[in-house]
Amino acid sequence: MSRMLCRVLTSAGFTVKSFASAKEFLDSKGISDSTCLILDMNLPGMSGAELQWVLSCRGFDIPIIFISADADEAIQQRVLDCGALAFLDKPFNIDILLDKVRSIPIPTPS
């Protein structure tokens, strides 16, 4: 799924970086450069919802699009209430995902 998303987003003109886990992303130097995250709810070691909470606690306000094959409605509502841009159930329409990503304003350097 990750490789497919990277190919689709890259072919749509986006710069994409993939991480194997939430910890790998948190340990990276590119967090502050991230303009959008596409997160599965089921990540190794830490759930997508937990990563959303950690980022919020650290002061990062990165738009997040969640995807999942098995999240219940309560979890979906919780991540949306915490600021997620969208929650897409697998299998999802790739055009809807691309529309959500395109709707995110790209910050300009100050």
Side-chain angles (χ1 to χ4, degrees), residues 1-100:
M1 175 67 78
S2 178
R3 282 187 289 240
M4 182 275 296
L5 285 174
C6 287
R7 283 193 309 269
V8 167
L9 291 163
T10 300
S11 69
F14 295 101
T15 301
V16 178
K17 176 83 171 137
S18 179
F19 297 91
S21 67
K23 181 178 180 344
E24 183 180 323
F25 174 70
L26 290 170
D27 291 344
S28 76
K29 301 197 185 328
I31 294 176
S32 59
D33 296 331
S34 298
T35 56
C36 174
L37 295 178
I38 299 172
L39 295 178
D40 198 309
M41 287 300 293
N42 299 314
L43 300 172
M46 177 186 302
S47 75
E50 290 170 320
L51 177 56
Q52 180 189 36
W53 181 80
V54 168
L55 291 170
S56 177
C57 288
R58 292 184 183 182
F60 292 103
D61 186 22
I62 304 168
I64 299 173
I65 299 168
F66 282 97
I67 57 174
S68 181
D70 59 1
D72 64 35
E73 288 183 30
I75 292 172
Q76 289 183 26
Q77 193 58 53
R78 188 176 83 219
V79 298
L80 291 168
D81 289 346
C82 290
L85 179 64
F87 195 107
L88 304 176
D89 291 308
K90 290 179 187 175
F92 54 88
N93 182 312
I94 199 68
D95 291 325
I96 293 173
L97 175 70
L98 288 171
D99 287 344
K100 295 293 183 186

